[in-house]
Amino acid sequence: MTRSELIENLKCTVIYVKEPHYSKILNKVVIVEYPIHIVETEKLVDSIPWQGKEIEEILVLVEEYYNN
């Protein structure tokens, strides 16, 4: 897969990000999961080591990128 193909494949992809948030009602930290629509695919592709990986592996890298 070329860089331009990957950019096209990732456009408008939705991934789910998990973040800890403090709940005043529960009085503890809870993990909140929310969707992110990938818009800036070129910047994302330049930020992850995608070469030589299958699309499933790339999606895991994308999730890790947004979760960190």
Side-chain angles (χ1 to χ4, degrees):
M1 178 180 315
T2 66
R3 180 179 181 274
S4 58
E5 289 173 332
L6 179 58
I7 289 170
E8 276 302 311
N9 287 337
L10 289 177
K11 274 188 184 168
C12 299
T13 299
V14 177
I15 62 163
Y16 289 85
V17 174
K18 297 176 185 174
E19 286 188 349
H21 289 279
Y22 181 75
S23 169
K24 290 181 182 179
I25 296 171
L26 298 174
N27 195 27
K28 67 177 185 177
V29 175
V30 294
I31 302 298
V32 177
E33 186 174 16
Y34 58 91
I36 289 183
H37 299 269
I38 299 176
V39 179
E40 295 183 28
T41 53
E42 290 184 25
K43 181 179 174 184
L44 172 65
V45 168
D46 291 339
S47 300
I48 60 172
W50 60 271
Q51 294 87 351
K53 294 188 172 36
E54 297 293 324
I55 191 67
E56 293 84 8
E57 296 171 305
I58 294 170
L59 289 175
V60 169
L61 292 173
V62 169
E63 286 182 21
E64 289 173 356
Y65 173 83
Y66 280 106
N67 279 321
N68 291 331

